[in-house]
Amino acid sequence: MVEAFVRLLCPECSKDWEEGPTDLPGHRENFSCPSCHATRRLAEFMRTERDLDTLKQFQ
């Protein structure tokens, strides 16, 4: 089985990382960057629309 992941990019500090979509809250919920602690809707941290679509598939 292939494990899915989504790529995230903080709009404040530009930190980029990957997470499993099942480890994240819903795309409309607030999420905080682990580096600078900026808080926004999780959808705003997605690097691409494809990452957002992958996240939505697992919700």
Side-chain angles (χ1 to χ4, degrees):
M1 181 169 98
V2 176
E3 189 170 329
F5 66 92
V6 292
R7 297 173 303 160
L8 299 113
L9 176 67
C10 178
E12 295 286 327
C13 72
S14 299
K15 173 185 173 55
D16 64 331
W17 72 102
E18 297 176 352
E19 293 278 348
T22 57
D23 298 331
L24 295 168
H27 69 281
R28 291 186 175 125
E29 294 182 39
N30 282 342
F31 181 77
S32 296
C33 173
S35 289
C36 72
H37 305 288
T39 302
R40 297 178 183 220
R41 289 184 321 128
L42 179 58
E44 295 182 41
F45 284 88
M46 296 295 114
R47 286 184 64 111
T48 65
E49 285 293 320
R50 186 178 183 118
D51 291 313
L52 182 57
D53 291 341
T54 300
L55 178 67
K56 287 178 181 180
Q57 287 178 352
F58 285 87
Q59 293 181 348

